[in-house]
Amino acid sequence: MARGVSAVPRRGTTGLRQFLDPEQQRAWIEGTAGLPDADERSESLELRFKYIPRFEKLLRRPQAQDVLALLGLYGRNCIPIPRRSERHYWSVSCLPSTSDKPLVRVNASWMELFTLYAAEEGIRARCLMRLSDFTTDRSLACSHLDEAFLESCVTAPEDISYFFPHGPDMFGVNVLGCASIRRFLEMPRILCAIRTFNLMHMNRGRNAYQASHCYSLADFMLAG
């Protein structure tokens, strides 16, 4: 049975350590225990109304239903205590005005976690994780990347590509197509790696992108 999440923040701690002890965090990463979340969300009506026009614009895009379905999957499986941590420790933005022109982006602390883009009439995802979770020997050597495993995580090998952002233990994956993105997000080893990366950044402190949080998108992430 899952142990209760602390309702009162622990003093002298940062991020989700205020609510989850190391054992709870480890159990969530490994998928061996659930985490009871808050019953209600803390909401800013000002922000909700601010981003409704962007949300309505997104709904007119041909990728809209796939975007909402994938965000729902990501929210259920990849964000710990999402209601309690919403906006303050993670956020989702709608049609953010950045040069790469994403449809939606999930952030925590100062880090981009998960981004969805239009790919003609379809969709493409970008996910950031730790390189050491995907090397054959858990090292930081790019040459030791377990490419065979990664290609097995999508419906066709050509649906996945990789890149190496700046940072000592950073790894990025591009996945093309809704079916491959869904398969990728449901693979147990991938899910464990995503959870590890997300929790690491949510533990670093408050989310820097609170002002761009789109509650209309978050509704779908928290619907499960």
Side-chain angles (χ1 to χ4, degrees):
M1 180 179 296
R3 290 164 50 198
V5 173
S6 175
V8 179
R10 298 182 177 96
R11 297 181 63 182
T13 56
T14 59
L16 296 195
R17 297 185 189 90
Q18 299 174 85
F19 311 107
L20 305 173
D21 63 35
E23 182 181 341
Q24 289 174 307
Q25 294 190 30
R26 183 167 53 253
W28 178 76
I29 287 172
E30 296 172 352
T32 58
L35 298 174
D37 203 357
D39 294 327
E40 298 182 357
R41 297 160 66 186
S42 175
E43 184 171 331
S44 164
L45 290 178
E46 178 183 1
L47 279 185
R48 176 173 286 278
F49 287 116
K50 179 179 179 179
Y51 291 110
I52 283 178
R54 289 196 190 188
F55 178 69
E56 292 175 340
K57 184 177 179 180
L58 175 67
L59 292 181
R60 295 192 289 270
R61 301 290 296 263
Q63 302 88 356
Q65 293 309 308
D66 285 342
V67 166
L68 297 179
L70 290 170
L71 279 180
L73 179 64
Y74 192 88
R76 288 191 302 274
N77 294 333
C78 302
I79 302 292
I81 52 171
R83 288 176 177 80
R84 186 179 299 277
S85 58
E86 182 181 7
R87 188 164 68 90
H88 299 294
Y89 296 98
W90 68 271
S91 62
V92 59
S93 52
C94 184
L95 300 174
S97 53
T98 53
S99 59
D100 54 339
K101 298 182 179 179
L103 298 173
V104 300
R105 174 168 286 143
V106 180
N107 290 91
S109 184
W110 291 92
M111 180 60 62
E112 166 193 334
L113 303 179
F114 181 68
T115 308
L116 294 173
Y117 300 89
E120 297 183 352
E121 295 297 301
I123 199 167
R124 172 175 65 88
R126 181 169 71 190
C127 190
L128 295 182
M129 295 165 288
R130 301 189 307 177
L131 175 60
S132 54
D133 287 326
F134 295 99
T135 52
T136 54
D137 56 358
R138 306 287 293 186
S139 73
L140 302 183
C142 300
S143 59
H144 294 181
L145 186 65
D146 192 347
E147 296 185 59
F149 165 72
L150 286 164
E151 290 177 357
S152 75
C153 295
V154 291
T155 58
E158 60 269 22
D159 288 347
I160 193 166
S161 60
Y162 330 111
F163 62 99
F164 302 95
H166 295 296
D169 193 7
M170 289 283 290
F171 177 59
V173 174
N174 291 308
V175 182
L176 181 64
C178 187
S180 280
I181 297 168
R182 178 174 289 276
R183 176 177 170 84
F184 185 83
L185 292 177
E186 291 176 339
M187 295 291 287
R189 180 177 165 188
I190 297 290
L191 184 57
C192 183
I194 291 173
R195 288 179 169 185
T196 299
F197 187 83
N198 290 2
L199 192 51
M200 177 176 67
H201 288 281
M202 293 174 76
N203 276 332
R204 289 185 170 174
R206 292 280 180 138
N207 172 34
Y209 299 92
Q210 296 183 38
S212 64
H213 185 57
C214 177
Y215 281 95
S216 297
L217 284 178
D219 292 343
F220 288 88
M221 296 180 69
L222 299 174

